[in-house]
Amino acid sequence: MARNGRRREPRFDDEAEDDELRAEPRPRARKSERPKRRRSGSLIGALIYWSLTLSVWGAIGGGALAVYYGSQLPPIDQLSVPKRPPNIAILGADGELLANRGDTGGATVRISELPPYLPKAFVAIEDRRFYSHWGVDPQGVARALVRNVAGRGGMQGGSTLTQQLAKNLFLTQERTISRKIQEAILAVWLEHKYSKDQILELYLNRVYFGSGAYGVEAACQRYFGHGAKTATLSEAAVLAGLMKAPSKLAPDRNPDGATERAAQVVTAMAQEGFINDSAAKAALANPAQVQKTIGAGSINYAADYVMDMLDDTVGAIDQDIVVTTTIDPRLQTVAEGALKEELDKKGAKFNVSQGAVVSLDPTGAIRALVGGRDYSESQFNRAVSARRQPGSAFKPFVYLAGLEHGLTPDTVREDAPLNIKGWTPENYSHEYFGPVTLTKALALSLNTVAVRVGMEVGPKTVVKTARRLGVQSELQTNASLALGTSEVTPLELVAAYAPFANGGFGVQPYIIARVKTAVGKTLYQRKTPAPSRVVDADDVAMMNVMMQETLLTGTARKAELPGWQAAGKTGTSQDFRDAWFIGYTSRLVTGVWLGNDDSSPTKKASGGNLPVEIWSRYMGIAHRGLQVAGLPAGNWRSDGSLDDVVARPLDELIGMFTGGGGAPAPAPPPRPRQSAPLPPPEPSAGRRAPDDATATIPIAPEAARATRAAPRSVDELLPPEDIPDAGAPPPAPRGRRPAAQRNIFEELFGGG
């Protein structure tokens, strides 16, 4: 080839110039096409390159965040689902669920025990891809991240059921990016460790449903009054709808909002094919009805008392348990209704704001326990915790001490002014009956006679007697003890009356009969203790005779329990601060207390009016269908006679009601004179001689006569418990004794 007109030969030595071996350059036209192809290819390549680069760095960054926030979690190999707080299911004596106690408010349920549509309702409205994802729904997470980056108030939405469970089990409720990442990590771990059904079961037993209910069982009981196993489709929809806002959509607070949300759940279930159209239409046409709590929910007072007693019964609780109590749900409802109805009707008139009812059977089993007027307003359990002065309701222990020291119901004592070291106890009316039998003194609640008897046997003896029968509160050993000035609780006072109903045996009030685990293992079974006699049978019989008279002619004569032999005692404390009635039959011992929590005086509420009315209403229903049985009787019998000195002072009162113009009635026929018996020189079997150093009044053979003021009216003569309502008709005859055997009090006040 020639260049510049000269021909040059090719050379193959090392000295040949490099450019002599190069090929001819390509035409310029072809050279100009090459850069265009490079620019087009490099744009696509750059996009691919940077996409891959960003993806890699994003994955690295995400992994770094996951590692960082994951490092703040416990090691995965040590992670476990926290144990669910134990639930205490409290049952009535008939097996009916009364209440749940514990942090969750309900027992654990198996998903296999639930209606199929109940768990599906949660899947339809909360996580439609639950059975297909691996714990995290990428679409939901992406949506939540976008909202968070946009600054719309933190993380919202995007959580699967598994993530919600992870949050409830392990994390706080804060809505931050860190919590969201940790939630996702834990959700993946849960999906790896548990099956879908296990996760859903954990979820249904742990999530919050509002109104203090954790878990679907607690929610069903709280809102619908039955367990989750019997939940309807409409009820299941309401429960699933609560997940959006448990407190805001709680059906007992926002029924319209709950119903609207439930309709959305039903629609979602139909769209997912979980229910057919006919079922959806039926659910929409018949929305769930929330159970309204009747009254104040007084069963909670009993449930609280169960919890107080449970620790001493079974110790620490670390699993779900079932406690069977002695409570009769029917009687509990009746007692609550009787108390509330009376206070609603007459509470304002008598300035009485609170009350309590305790009912035991003669063995000490608590059948009803109402600790206040309305549990939702006050959880203070007055039945077991309020210490109040019992007033004359304490007198039976004084008279029992007297009987145990040789007195009898027919023993005569003087109702007259009394001065004990400057203290002068008086009857309510400031009037006195003179010589009266102990039976009438107790029936009419005469204060001076009770104090005389108390000082004859000694206050220490009275305290020992009350302790023996079950009074545990501190009692002051002074003369006023006989008038009930030492405070006691309603429960212990009612329990102390039980020996009069059961023949003289002491009882320990109890409410827990049996405790089992959720799987049926017995943890506690109450055993009936051997009977322990605390009162002699004859003394029981005499006390029953005396306290029957209280209902026949005395301060509780307004009490009505047709066909039953009943006895009891009223009580009213100073300034009408407390009003009591403790009454009993051979089947039930029931006490009623009324007053104010601040101990302010009532407007003459006394044991003989409101408490007797509540007692009568409750006992009348409680005894329906029970076989009639009399009170325990003994060998003692009254001869039915009264000393002239006892009868004559009351003859004047007969004329007030018979049109005699106050003229004296004809003198009764002569009868053998009867004086107060002397104590025996040697203590006889079953009796104790007076050995109390605090006894300051000797037991005299005959009480001294006292000057009596002229009586004005029956109402003025009777103690405050006995003031009847104006215009109230006399009580109907009870037919317990033939007319010929009625005494002057029965003819005057009714009864017999």
Side-chain angles (χ1 to χ4, degrees):
M1 173 180 269
R3 182 179 293 180
N4 297 330
R6 295 192 309 169
R7 184 176 182 274
R8 302 183 65 175
E9 296 293 332
R11 299 178 60 182
F12 299 97
D13 55 347
D14 295 337
E15 296 180 0
E17 296 181 3
D18 292 340
D19 56 356
E20 292 180 345
L21 299 178
R22 291 178 182 171
E24 294 293 331
R26 294 180 180 179
R28 290 185 179 275
R30 293 177 64 184
K31 205 171 185 181
S32 62
E33 293 175 359
R34 195 170 172 185
K36 291 182 181 180
R37 290 180 180 176
R38 282 184 177 176
R39 281 196 296 270
S40 176
S42 43
L43 179 60
I44 297 173
L47 290 174
I48 295 174
Y49 171 78
W50 286 111
S51 296
L52 291 173
T53 301
L54 290 174
S55 298
V56 171
W57 282 108
I60 293 173
L65 287 174
V67 171
Y68 173 74
Y69 289 114
S71 65
Q72 299 180 24
L73 295 172
I76 292 296
D77 58 347
Q78 299 178 13
L79 200 61
S80 62
V81 172
K83 194 171 183 179
R84 187 178 187 269
N87 177 74
I88 297 93
I90 300 173
L91 310 182
D94 60 353
E96 176 184 336
L97 178 66
L98 303 179
N100 283 291
R101 284 294 184 268
D103 293 338
T104 58
T108 300
V109 291
R110 299 280 185 183
I111 194 171
S112 59
E113 299 173 337
L114 298 173
Y117 48 74
L118 195 151
K120 289 179 179 178
F122 289 82
V123 173
I125 198 66
E126 289 293 315
D127 188 1
R128 299 189 182 193
R129 290 181 289 275
F130 173 72
Y131 285 103
S132 60
H133 63 62
W134 36 271
V136 178
D137 183 2
Q139 297 180 21
V141 172
R143 181 174 63 252
L145 288 173
V146 169
R147 291 183 179 180
N148 186 60
V149 172
R152 298 179 182 178
M155 302 304 296
Q156 299 184 19
S159 293
T160 63
L161 288 176
T162 314
Q163 288 176 272
Q164 294 178 41
L165 176 62
K167 177 182 66 176
N168 279 279
L169 292 177
F170 304 110
L171 304 173
T172 64
Q173 298 298 314
E174 63 177 342
R175 294 182 174 182
T176 62
I177 185 66
S178 60
R179 201 269 294 163
K180 202 71 178 179
I181 293 173
Q182 291 176 332
E183 181 184 286
I185 296 171
L186 293 170
V188 173
W189 175 79
L190 286 171
E191 291 278 350
H192 175 73
K193 188 174 181 63
Y194 299 99
S195 68
K196 289 289 186 179
D197 282 349
Q198 288 175 322
I199 291 172
L200 192 53
E201 182 176 301
L202 284 170
Y203 177 86
L204 294 174
N205 282 293
R206 299 299 183 101
V207 293
Y208 183 59
F209 287 86
S211 298
Y214 288 85
V216 68
E217 176 70 12
C220 266
Q221 293 287 355
R222 175 66 181 82
Y223 297 126
F224 309 122
H226 58 75
K229 299 176 184 178
T230 57
T232 65
L233 176 58
S234 298
E235 292 169 348
V238 169
L239 297 177
L242 289 174
M243 296 300 95
K244 182 178 181 180
S247 298
K248 183 179 179 180
L249 295 175
D252 58 345
R253 301 177 183 177
N254 184 8
D256 293 338
T259 300
E260 182 180 350
R261 179 64 173 170
Q264 298 174 7
V265 175
V266 171
T267 301
M269 294 178 71
Q271 292 174 349
E272 293 298 312
F274 294 154
I275 57 175
N276 56 39
D277 291 341
S278 61
K281 290 179 180 178
L284 294 173
N286 300 282
Q289 299 297 318
V290 177
Q291 174 185 263
K292 294 182 179 180
T293 303
I294 300 175
S298 70
I299 194 62
N300 289 292
Y301 290 115
D304 289 349
Y305 184 59
V306 169
M307 295 303 296
D308 292 340
M309 297 294 102
L310 200 55
D311 185 57
D312 293 336
T313 303
V314 297
I317 301 169
D318 58 359
Q319 59 182 319
D320 286 0
I321 62 173
V322 179
V323 181
T324 301
T325 70
T326 60
I327 294 292
D328 184 326
R330 182 180 69 93
L331 298 187
Q332 181 73 24
T333 301
V334 172
E336 177 184 353
L339 176 64
K340 189 175 187 303
E341 181 180 345
E342 189 78 4
L343 291 180
D344 289 346
K345 183 179 179 181
K346 299 182 179 181
K349 174 183 176 181
F350 286 89
N351 189 35
V352 177
S353 60
Q354 281 296 346
V357 179
V358 177
S359 187
L360 316 177
D361 71 14
T363 70
I366 300 175
R367 298 305 185 192
L369 189 146
V370 181
R373 182 177 189 170
D374 189 335
Y375 185 85
S376 64
E377 293 182 359
S378 173
Q379 290 78 50
F380 178 60
N381 195 338
R382 296 155 190 83
V384 300
S385 300
R387 298 189 181 278
R388 308 294 295 237
Q389 289 186 346
S392 296
F394 189 82
K395 289 178 181 177
F397 308 117
V398 179
Y399 284 92
L400 174 60
L403 298 183
E404 292 177 337
H405 282 71
L407 307 183
T408 73
D410 284 344
T411 297
V412 176
R413 286 292 179 266
E414 190 79 8
D415 177 29
L418 185 65
N419 189 312
I420 301 176
K421 296 182 179 180
W423 178 57
T424 56
E426 297 178 332
N427 295 330
Y428 167 73
S429 64
H430 306 291
E431 306 283 356
Y432 303 93
F433 282 103
V436 294
T437 63
L438 298 190
T439 297
K440 284 305 172 184
L442 180 60
L444 299 179
S445 202
L446 303 179
N447 289 337
T448 62
V449 177
V451 174
R452 287 181 189 277
V453 174
M455 295 309 294
E456 285 179 14
V457 299
K460 286 186 178 179
T461 298
V462 175
V463 170
K464 291 179 181 178
T465 301
R467 286 268 186 270
R468 183 160 30 97
L469 269 69
V471 176
Q472 301 298 322
S473 295
E474 181 180 356
L475 302 175
Q476 300 296 324
T477 55
N478 52 35
S480 67
L481 173 68
L483 303 185
T485 55
S486 293
E487 297 176 339
V488 297
T489 67
L491 178 59
E492 66 179 325
L493 187 59
V494 172
Y497 272 63
F500 301 131
N502 66 24
F505 298 96
V507 303
Q508 179 66 39
Y510 68 98
I511 196 170
I512 298 176
R514 183 170 53 257
V515 181
K516 291 186 175 183
T517 65
V519 296
K521 179 183 177 182
T522 300
L523 300 178
Y524 168 80
Q525 177 71 53
R526 187 180 188 277
K527 297 180 180 178
T528 303
S532 174
R533 179 169 290 281
V534 295
V535 184
D536 184 79
D538 285 342
D539 292 334
V540 171
M542 287 189 283
M543 286 301 302
N544 285 339
V545 168
M546 295 170 71
M547 284 195 279
Q548 282 181 73
E549 199 68 23
T550 303
L551 275 71
L552 293 172
T553 65
T555 57
R557 67 182 185 277
K558 292 173 63 177
E560 290 292 337
L561 194 58
W564 285 86
Q565 191 178 26
K569 187 68 189 77
T570 57
T572 306
S573 65
Q574 189 174 12
D575 297 328
F576 299 94
R577 298 176 190 275
D578 304 276
W580 298 77
F581 180 58
I582 317 296
Y584 58 92
T585 66
S586 58
R587 300 295 188 184
L588 288 173
V589 185
T590 301
V592 179
W593 167 84
L594 296 179
N596 297 310
D597 286 341
D598 60 0
S599 292
S600 59
T602 66
K603 294 180 180 178
K604 294 191 176 182
S606 64
N609 48 44
L610 305 190
V612 165
E613 292 173 3
I614 295 171
W615 183 91
S616 298
R617 187 177 298 115
Y618 166 79
M619 293 287 274
I621 298 175
H623 282 74
R624 289 177 184 172
L626 298 181
Q627 184 176 358
V628 176
L631 290 170
N635 297 323
W636 183 87
R637 293 291 183 274
S638 173
D639 59 11
S641 64
L642 287 174
D643 192 277
D644 293 349
V645 78
V646 178
R648 189 172 292 116
L650 296 177
D651 289 344
E652 300 173 4
L653 296 178
I654 298 177
M656 298 172 58
F657 297 94
T658 60
R671 285 173 292 191
R673 188 172 185 83
Q674 184 181 34
S675 62
L678 287 169
E682 295 291 337
S684 59
R687 305 282 181 179
R688 295 189 300 276
D691 55 1
D692 189 345
T694 61
T696 59
I697 299 180
I699 300 180
E702 184 174 351
R705 298 175 184 269
T707 303
R708 300 185 306 276
R712 295 191 296 270
S713 70
V714 174
D715 286 350
E716 292 175 321
L717 285 171
L718 296 177
E721 297 94 327
D722 198 52
I723 301 177
D725 293 336
R734 307 198 183 183
R736 296 188 186 175
R737 304 184 198 172
Q741 296 182 10
R742 294 178 183 171
N743 59 36
I744 191 170
F745 290 92
E746 293 164 346
E747 294 293 338
L748 180 60
F749 298 121

